[in-house]
Amino acid sequence: MPDPVNEPLVSVNTPQGEMIMSNPLYNYTFHPLPSAPDFPASSALSKYTSTVRYPDANGRSQPELVNEQLQANTALFRDMTYQLLASQPDYAPFSNTGYTDSRGESYNSVEEMHDGIHTIVGTGGHMGIIQFAAFDPIFWLHHANVDRLLAIWQAIYPDSYTTSEVNIEGTFTLAPGSTDTLTTSLTPFHSDILGTFHTSATVRSTRTFGYTYPEIIDWGGVNATQLSSTVRANVNRLYNPTGSISTRALRPRSSNQTHSYPNTTSAETMTDWHYYVNIRLHKSALSTPFFVHFFLGTPAPSPSIWPTAPNLIATHSVLHARQPHSGPFNATITTNTTHHLAYGQIPLTHALRPLLPSTPLTPDLVLPLLKAQLEWRVQRVDGSVVSAGDVRGLRIGVVGREACEVEGGDEGVGGRGDRFPVFGPWRTFEGVGFGGES
């Protein structure tokens, strides 16, 4: 988390001189205090008079522990972001963890990254519970970045957008099982003083609201092709500054490869493998948010070390969707979310590369290593340990695909090319993973 959100007090220069005051980005103090029905008595959050992040036994936020967990997952969020922006052209699997129709083995989504930040920053605090998360000021910074990632993705893939889908969970105003469309009301957000609600169609572009982001230079007569090129160059600069594939480990694309890569030639490409853990589970498999930690090698005996262990690959976070509320669809929501499957993906390449620094990551080298060393542990946000077999619907598998690093392309902003790696077809590897109860 950035420094301005971590300190409870700030110094402000005023006409009367320097003043020390409460930091409005550190927490929000409730007025009136939490009470039913907004904060059910059964909720652990009802005892706090202000929002908290990773609270200790005395209810004090622990931003240093939040940052340790975020730091341990820096490579995860960077690689997930780059993979999504560079290789996922379809809005539905890009956008959410629950989409199944054409996801294939691409389990990554912007919602998964969104849930990870919520769960890690919350860890028992308000950000980790959907109904209460927006009370924490950092919620708005987090969601501004999610909006930014969506806007970047839209600039690269302008022709794909939301389609009609069944809303399994429902909302306070939409019954579970209803169909969301482009014109479904986005309550409670009004588009005018007459009470008209915004819809997905009316909020498709940030330009409608008069703003943009630094990576999206969409003014001055820039056309869609130029915009896409500039944004791709910025994505390379931000999330892939040295190239996604180590040049020490690249091998020339073989002339006898059985599959081809679009828009490339053998003279201009080099290839290597990228690997991922795919996770599928019931979103409400446990009654609280929880983590699935992945390690190379046996994790430490003490579970308290797991979230930041030296051999941690990354953590998959599950943001539990529902707490009891007084809305009209509460009973149906509770029933439906019990059976809601969610999908996630953990990139492995950043953890494998140091073990094989100058060798192509071919399956014959990587799979024996993963079979011997890949381990996982399930842990609730309160630190308690859960057997993987008790997480309903949990499936863990390893997939991979070849990537062609393509030379050339316009330099764009930042001095890096505007071309992304070209990825080959997904391959599922048997013998590494876990399959529990359906």
Side-chain angles (χ1 to χ4, degrees):
M1 297 185 295
D3 291 341
V5 306
N6 294 331
E7 298 297 330
L9 300 175
V10 292
S11 173
V12 179
N13 293 323
T14 74
Q16 290 75 39
E18 182 182 22
M19 294 182 62
I20 304 298
M21 60 182 63
S22 297
N23 182 359
L25 297 179
Y26 181 74
N27 64 9
Y28 169 77
T29 299
F30 294 100
H31 50 85
L33 295 177
S35 61
D38 296 323
F39 282 76
S42 60
S43 171
L45 299 179
S46 62
K47 63 184 178 183
Y48 297 117
T49 58
S50 299
T51 56
V52 291
R53 303 166 191 157
Y54 202 149
D56 64 14
N58 297 313
R60 291 189 293 261
S61 291
Q62 303 178 95
E64 68 282 357
L65 296 186
V66 174
N67 280 336
E68 286 179 11
Q69 288 195 71
L70 291 173
Q71 185 66 36
N73 286 279
T74 297
L76 167 73
F77 291 119
R78 181 197 63 220
D79 290 358
M80 289 176 68
T81 301
Y82 190 71
Q83 177 200 339
L84 269 181
L85 297 177
S87 67
Q88 181 51 269
D90 296 328
Y91 177 84
F94 162 84
S95 65
N96 70 88
T97 62
Y99 182 77
T100 60
D101 289 353
S102 60
R103 181 177 292 281
E105 298 301 327
S106 181
Y107 283 17
N108 189 10
S109 69
V110 73
E111 184 184 11
E112 182 186 4
M113 291 191 288
H114 159 272
D115 290 359
I117 297 296
H118 266 281
T119 310
I120 291 174
V121 172
T123 310
H126 293 78
M127 272 287 283
I129 303 296
I130 289 177
Q131 284 85 341
F132 309 138
F135 286 111
D136 189 330
I138 204 171
F139 170 96
W140 302 98
L141 300 179
H142 173 40
H143 276 254
N145 189 51
V146 173
D147 180 66
R148 168 183 159 273
L149 291 176
L150 173 59
I152 289 173
W153 182 89
Q154 287 179 305
I156 300 171
Y157 308 104
D159 296 328
S160 182
Y161 195 47
T162 183
T163 56
S164 297
E165 298 288 342
V166 174
N167 189 324
I168 297 175
E169 296 183 11
T171 68
F172 284 88
T173 58
L174 188 69
S178 301
T179 298
D180 282 338
T181 70
L182 271 173
T183 57
T184 297
S185 295
L186 300 178
T187 56
F189 302 106
H190 293 99
S191 61
D192 57 39
I193 61 174
L194 302 177
T196 306
F197 290 110
H198 274 295
T199 68
S200 294
T202 66
V203 300
R204 181 166 183 170
S205 172
T206 62
R207 296 308 299 270
T208 302
F209 303 95
Y211 73 95
T212 187
Y213 292 98
E215 300 84 3
I216 308 169
I217 305 173
D218 57 352
W219 58 86
V222 174
N223 62 39
T225 300
Q226 293 169 325
L227 177 62
S228 178
S229 174
T230 300
V231 172
R232 290 196 307 271
N234 280 327
V235 168
N236 277 332
R237 176 176 57 84
L238 287 170
Y239 300 108
N240 187 30
T242 60
S244 61
I245 307 171
S246 170
T247 55
R248 291 175 298 169
L250 290 173
R251 68 188 191 282
R253 179 170 166 240
S254 171
S255 60
N256 60 1
Q257 283 179 298
T258 58
H259 57 265
S260 60
Y261 299 98
N263 304 316
T264 67
T265 68
S266 59
E268 65 178 1
T269 62
M270 304 289 278
T271 68
D272 201 10
W273 279 86
H274 286 222
Y275 298 88
Y276 312 83
V277 171
N278 272 355
I279 307 118
R280 190 217 72 180
L281 44 71
H282 287 277
K283 193 162 188 175
S284 297
L286 304 179
S287 59
T288 63
F290 63 96
F291 304 117
V292 185
H293 305 295
F294 290 90
F295 307 88
L296 272 182
T298 303
S302 173
S304 64
I305 299 175
W306 293 351
T308 56
N311 64 334
L312 178 76
I313 299 171
T315 294
H316 175 67
S317 303
V318 180
L319 181 62
H320 180 59
R322 294 296 173 190
Q323 296 287 309
H325 63 71
S326 57
F329 306 120
N330 183 45
T332 313
I333 286 172
T334 303
T335 300
N336 280 34
T337 56
T338 303
H339 305 288
H340 182 188
L341 287 174
Y343 297 80
Q345 192 169 75
I346 298 289
L348 294 174
T349 310
H350 70 273
L352 294 169
R353 175 53 64 208
L355 302 179
L356 300 166
S358 57
T359 304
L361 296 177
T362 54
D364 61 305
L365 294 177
V366 169
L367 291 183
L369 188 154
L370 291 177
K371 289 179 181 179
Q373 296 193 37
L374 182 64
E375 297 197 26
W376 47 88
R377 298 290 187 273
V378 181
Q379 188 176 34
R380 297 180 191 270
V381 293
D382 65 4
S384 60
V385 178
V386 179
S387 169
D390 292 333
V391 180
R392 199 151 68 87
L394 179 62
R395 296 283 191 276
I396 293 171
V398 172
V399 298
R401 55 183 177 173
E402 280 190 285
C404 278
E405 189 76 4
V406 184
E407 299 177 0
D410 296 332
E411 287 303 304
V413 176
R416 272 196 59 79
D418 66 343
R419 300 182 72 173
F420 291 149
V422 179
F423 293 93
W426 289 99
R427 179 176 169 186
T428 301
F429 299 107
E430 304 296 335
V432 187
F434 172 84
E437 179 188 353
S438 297

